[in-house]
DNA sequence: CTGCATCCGGGCCGATACTG
DNA sequence: CAGTATCGGCCCGGATGCAG
């Protein structure tokens, strides 16, 4: 990308990150180190040459490094992008209330949203295991010792299993939909859905408070 | 911009913000509401048609609104971009250690960096007024009641006046350079430079700790 | 099969001219 | 002052090729 040639930290950051696809590559690498092919899977629609070019730029910029096993991974500096990316996810979260009909979805993308809604440590959180099958892709959300962690794949002994279309499941996770509302949108709720709400961050707001207007 | 067509909050946010120049327009509007011409000043190099197109998109997306006086301003949702933008500024701050020879500079861009370095409330902060003349553009940094505020323009009765090239002044503000180092880079220091350091946030790190490598 | 490089059509970007 | 119009060029998107 052409540099903005501005002596401003935001412009400098965007000189590195502002190209199309670049921040989505970072998203994938924040979730886990990736092979080239895994990145292609995780970035539906990216052109092969663009992916290669972006990765080279990110390597030159010391954001991404190629590990010994051939995987791409973030450098220490690159991992610090977790904050700005999470902030963008928080800002964009209200946009998740409607899913475009052509929108692709991957279960692991829930990792960012779950970190946003259930992040932090809170000793008052009860232990809990939820299995989430959004668009048929299973991921697990496990609360233990006050902390909620995300894992890909199914759970062994879940207290709750949510199955349904991704947007309805996200609505239930975020609190935009209640149990009845989510079921009306095609979510099957098996087990203890009430405890899930108690796991949310106290400062997590959804609905109209997260004003998208005015 | 073409949508990424991904049901992911980051992708949705970038569908709105990902175009070239868009986040820099938001930067200007975070600093103050702007007329079209002021935006052009604040965004050296932007093509007029692009600026108009971006503003229209941002209005459609309910991020920007045109006020009664003809100025453009952020909506409530748009103002919430302060967090992701500040996070990007924090991430990009290490890149401010070197200034490209063609880099433009505007005094008001220091507002974001100053908010980063001196933000928050800390009752232990002494009252203080610093006038900063970076590249000949005067801005004022005033500490009062534990809070540091940024204002454009010169100060009436400053405790400290820093004059010099923008990169050296930024080096001194951020702590990357000490008084002697900054003077070696052409900064003239008039008054109490030591108190300035006591105004910084305790969690503000500069130098090698803000790792850009490894 | 994975991990890219090459090629080409189309759309976005950049610079400037122009208008109300 | 506040945009709109225009055009060349570069970046992006999609398909294909190819080497380890």
């Amino acid at each position: 990308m052409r540099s903005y040639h501005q002596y401003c930290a935001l412009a400098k950051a965007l000189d590195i990150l502002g190209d199309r696809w670049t921040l989505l590559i970072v998203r994938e690498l924040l979730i886990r180190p990736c092979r080239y092919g895994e990145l292609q899977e995780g970035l539906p629609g990216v052109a092969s040459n663009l992916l290669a070019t972006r990765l080279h730029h990110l390597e030159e910029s010391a954001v991404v490094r190629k590990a010994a096993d051939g995987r791409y991974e973030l450098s220490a500096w690159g991992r610090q992008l977790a904050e700005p990316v999470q902030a963008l996810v928080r800002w964009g979260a209200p946009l998740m209330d409607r899913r475009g009909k052509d929108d692709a979805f991957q279960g692991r993308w829930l990792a960012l949203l779950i970190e946003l809604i259930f992040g932090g440590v809170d000793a008052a959180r009860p232990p809990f295991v939820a299995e989430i099958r959004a668009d048929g892709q299973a991921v697990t959300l496990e609360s233990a010792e006050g902390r909620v962690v995300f894992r890909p794949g199914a759970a062994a002994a879940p207290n709750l299993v949510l199955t349904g279309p991704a947007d309805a499941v996200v609505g239930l996770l975020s609190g935009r939909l209640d149990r009845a509302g989510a079921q009306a949108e095609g979510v099957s709720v098996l087990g203890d859905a009430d405890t899930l709400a108690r796991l949310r961050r106290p400062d997590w707001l959804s609905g109209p408070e997260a004003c998208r207007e005015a």
Side-chain angles (χ1 to χ4, degrees), chain A:
Chain A
M1 156 175 284
R2 264 180 71 89
S3 167
Y4 287 109
H5 291 297
Q6 295 186 2
Y7 187 63
C8 158
L10 178 64
K12 294 287 178 202
L14 293 175
D15 282 345
I16 294 177
L17 305 171
D19 273 311
R20 193 162 161 75
W21 293 107
T22 300
L23 273 175
L24 295 186
I25 293 171
V26 170
R27 172 193 71 191
E28 292 298 310
L29 296 177
L30 277 171
I31 298 174
R32 79 273 184 234
C34 282
R35 298 179 181 283
Y36 190 89
E38 294 176 305
L39 283 169
Q40 281 186 311
E41 277 183 77
L43 301 167
V46 72
S48 177
N49 58 346
L50 283 191
L51 179 54
T53 305
R54 297 294 180 268
L55 285 169
H56 287 317
H57 283 332
L58 287 172
E59 283 187 278
E60 286 169 26
S61 307
V63 175
V64 163
R65 164 187 350 123
K66 201 163 183 176
D69 62 359
R71 285 181 153 112
Y72 293 94
E73 63 182 13
L74 294 172
S75 67
W77 192 39
R79 280 192 298 275
Q80 292 184 17
L81 282 168
E83 272 195 53
V85 165
Q86 277 294 351
L88 283 167
V89 167
R90 178 186 302 272
W91 186 83
L95 299 169
M96 295 292 278
D97 63 351
R98 281 196 301 173
R99 178 177 183 179
K101 64 174 171 31
D102 301 341
D103 286 358
F105 173 76
Q106 307 229 3
R108 83 178 73 86
W109 296 342
L110 291 175
L112 295 169
L113 215 54
I114 285 175
E115 169 64 23
L116 183 68
I117 301 174
F118 302 96
V121 183
D122 177 358
R125 277 182 183 136
F128 193 75
V129 177
E131 180 175 309
I132 298 164
R133 300 186 163 274
D135 278 25
Q137 301 185 42
V139 301
T140 298
L141 183 155
E142 181 166 358
S143 167
E145 298 171 10
R147 194 180 291 276
V148 175
V149 298
F150 168 94
R151 274 183 296 109
N159 305 103
L160 169 67
V161 178
L162 299 178
T163 311
D167 50 350
V169 169
V170 166
L172 183 54
L173 288 173
S174 71
R176 181 176 55 83
L177 300 175
D178 59 10
R179 183 173 179 143
Q183 286 175 328
E185 303 248 349
V187 178
S188 111
V189 180
L190 234 76
D192 177 7
D194 297 326
T195 302
L196 190 69
R198 296 171 47 208
L199 299 178
R200 290 195 198 107
R201 296 171 63 98
D203 60 347
W204 166 251
L205 295 180
S206 66
E209 313 92 278
C211 54
R212 204 164 103 215
E213 318 296 331

